[in-house]
C-alpha cells in the first residue's frame, strides 16, 4: 500500500492548485513521525551496509562512520520521543527505497535528507497550536540542522549552512520531497493531512543563475500563467514558466526548493500545482552573503 496521504486524482496533467484537508497537531505529529521513521531507517540501513573500512576506501576519515552512528542514534531517539507523544495513534515504519549505490551517494543523500528534515520542522511550526508540541518540534529541528551542517561541511566539504536563515518548508511541499523514498506503508497507518502532488524533476539540479532549465512534469493545456517558486530562506522568488521552461533567478544559495505554483502568493496548499524538488547552489568560504 502506498503511504496514506490524501491522494490527488491525476487526470493526465497538473494545471491547477488543489484543496487539502485541515491541519491539526496530531496529524502534524504523525507526519513528523513518518519522517523520523524514514530517517531512522535510512541511517541504520546504511550503517548496516557499509563498514568503517568502506568509508575509508571511499575517501572519508575513519571517524566519519562513528559520527553517522551518533546521528542514527539521534534519529532513533526522535522516533521514540514522537511515539511516546502519539501513543496508540503513532504510525508504524514503512518500506523504503533510497537508491544510493555506494558510500559517497549514501553520504550525499544523508546531507539532503537532514537538510530537508530541518526545514520540514520549521514549516510545521506555524501550524502547531500546542506549545509543548511546538517545543518538541523546535528541539528536533535544531539537531537536524546541526547534523545537516556537519555532513555538508565537515564530510562533503561544501557549505555548512544555506544562508542567514533556514528555509521553512510547508508540510505538503515537504511531503513531496520525501514521498519518493517510500515504497509501501502498513494499511493500519493513519491518513496524513497532506496532498500528494505530481512529482517534479528539473533538467539541471545544479544550474547557474540565469540558466534556462526544463521542468520535467506535464503541466496540461491551461492558459493560466504558472510560476516556478524558488524557496530560499524566508525569501521566495518567482519566475514565469513558458513551454515547461523557466529561467533560474539571481541570488540563490545552498539548497533551494523549486516547484510550480498558480500565483505569486507564498507557496502553500492553496496554490501548489506540483511537488517540489531540490536545486543546489554550493558556495565556498570566500563567498560573502548579503554583504554591503
Amino acid at each position: 500500500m502506498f503511504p496514506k496521504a490524501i491522494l490527488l486524482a491525476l487526470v493526465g496533467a497538473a494545471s491547477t492548485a488543489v484543496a487539502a484537508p485541515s491541519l491539526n497537531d496530531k496529524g502534524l505529529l504523525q507526519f513528523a513521525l513518518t519522517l523520523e521513521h524514514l530517517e531512522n531507517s535510512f541511517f541504520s540501513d546504511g550503517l548496516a551496509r557499509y563498514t568503517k573500512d568502506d568509508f575509508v576506501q571511499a575517501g572519508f576519515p575513519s571517524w566519519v562512520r562513528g559520527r553517522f552512528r551518533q546521528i542514527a542514534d539521534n534519529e532513533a531517539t526522535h522516533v521514540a520521543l514522537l511515539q511516546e507523544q502519539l501513543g496508540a495513534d503513532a504510525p508504524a515504519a514503512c518500506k523504503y527505497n533510497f537508491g544510493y549505490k555506494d558510500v559517497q551517494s549514501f553520504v550525499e543523500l544523508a546531507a539532503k535528507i537532514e537538510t530537508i528534515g530541518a526545514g520540514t520542522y520549521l514549516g510545521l511550526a506555524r501550524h502547531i497550536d500546542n506549545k509543548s508540541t511546538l517545543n518538541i518540534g523546535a528541539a528536533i529541528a535544531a539537531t537536524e540542522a546541526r547534523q545537516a551542517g556537519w555532513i555538508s561541511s565537515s564530510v562533503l566539504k561544501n557549505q555548512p549552512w544555506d544562508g542567514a536563515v533556514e528555509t521553512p518548508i510547508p508540510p505538503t511541499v515537504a511531503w513531496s520531497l520525501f514521498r519518493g523514498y517510500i515504497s509501501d506503508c502498513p494499511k493500519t497507518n493513519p491518513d496524513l493531512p497532506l496532498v500528494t502532488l505530481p512529482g517534479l524533476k528539473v533538467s539541471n539540479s545544479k544550474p547557474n543563475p540565469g540558466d534556462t532549465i526544463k521542468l520535467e512534469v506535464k503541466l496540461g493545456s491551461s492558459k493560466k500563467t504558472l510560476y516556478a517558486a524558488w524557496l530560499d530562506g524566508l525569501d521566495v522568488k518567482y519566475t514565469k514558466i513558458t513551454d515547461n521552461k523557466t529561467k533560474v533567478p539571481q541570488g540563490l544559495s545552498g539548497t533551494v526548493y523549486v516547484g510550480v505554483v498558480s500565483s505569486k502568493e507564498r507557496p502553500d496548499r492553496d496554490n501548489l500545482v506540483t511537488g517540489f524538488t531540490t536545486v543546489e547552489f554550493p558556495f565556498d568560504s570566500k563567498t560573502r552573503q548579503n554583504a554591503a
Side-chain angles (χ1 to χ4, degrees):
M1 179 181 177
F2 193 77
K4 293 178 66 178
I6 304 300
L7 295 177
L8 170 65
L10 299 177
V11 187
S15 59
T16 58
V18 296
S22 60
L23 299 172
N24 56 72
D25 284 6
K26 183 173 77 172
L28 293 174
L29 274 179
Q30 289 170 332
F31 175 43
L33 180 53
T34 299
L35 165 59
E36 293 299 338
H37 276 311
L38 182 149
E39 293 180 333
N40 184 40
S41 178
F42 171 77
F43 285 104
S44 60
D45 290 354
L47 292 174
R49 184 181 301 185
Y50 302 123
T51 65
K52 182 174 68 174
D53 287 343
D54 292 328
F55 273 79
V56 172
Q57 290 175 11
F60 299 106
S62 59
W63 51 265
V64 165
R65 188 183 184 279
R67 291 291 191 208
F68 272 105
R69 168 51 61 195
Q70 293 172 347
I71 293 176
D73 292 342
N74 289 344
E75 301 303 346
T77 299
H78 296 166
V79 168
L81 178 60
L82 294 175
Q83 286 176 325
E84 181 180 0
Q85 294 296 313
L86 285 164
D89 294 319
C94 300
K95 295 180 180 179
Y96 309 99
N97 182 11
F98 295 108
Y100 56 84
K101 304 297 184 182
D102 50 30
V103 173
Q104 180 69 35
S105 57
F106 167 75
V107 171
E108 291 174 354
L109 185 53
K112 179 179 180 179
I113 286 176
E114 289 295 287
T115 299
I116 298 172
T120 296
Y121 278 100
L122 294 180
L124 296 179
R126 65 188 295 264
H127 301 286
I128 294 175
D129 295 321
N130 183 276
K131 290 185 178 179
S132 295
T133 300
L134 180 61
N135 191 55
I136 291 171
I140 294 176
T143 298
E144 301 280 354
R146 293 173 74 171
Q147 292 173 170
W150 173 77
I151 299 170
S152 179
S153 60
S154 293
V155 182
L156 293 174
K157 309 305 180 185
N158 293 325
Q159 72 278 359
W161 44 72
D162 295 324
V165 293
E166 195 71 42
T167 303
I169 306 175
T172 288
V173 172
W175 173 240
S176 74
L177 293 165
F178 280 117
R179 69 181 177 86
Y181 302 120
I182 302 175
S183 57
D184 190 43
C185 286
K187 294 181 179 180
T188 53
N189 273 10
D191 291 335
L192 299 176
L194 307 168
V195 168
T196 295
L197 296 165
L200 175 68
K201 294 182 179 180
V202 294
S203 58
N204 183 1
S205 62
K206 293 184 178 180
N208 294 312
D211 285 354
T212 296
I213 62 171
K214 183 177 181 180
L215 307 176
E216 298 177 0
V217 62
K218 189 175 181 180
L219 294 175
S221 58
S222 173
K223 294 183 178 180
K224 185 174 182 179
T225 300
L226 298 176
Y227 303 92
W230 306 78
L231 307 184
D232 183 16
L234 298 179
D235 296 329
V236 184
K237 297 181 186 294
Y238 299 90
T239 54
K240 186 177 178 180
I241 298 172
T242 303
D243 296 328
N244 273 64
K245 297 179 181 178
T246 195
K247 182 173 287 189
V248 179
Q250 302 288 326
L252 302 175
S253 66
T255 299
V256 175
Y257 308 94
V258 62
V260 180
V261 295
S262 60
S263 69
K264 288 188 176 182
E265 298 174 331
R266 188 165 188 86
D268 212 334
R269 300 186 302 169
D270 292 337
N271 68 340
L272 298 176
V273 175
T274 71
F276 276 54
T277 190
T278 57
V279 182
E280 300 294 334
F281 300 88
F283 55 90
D284 61 25
S285 61
K286 297 179 181 180
T287 301
R288 294 293 303 281
Q289 296 175 302
N290 303 319

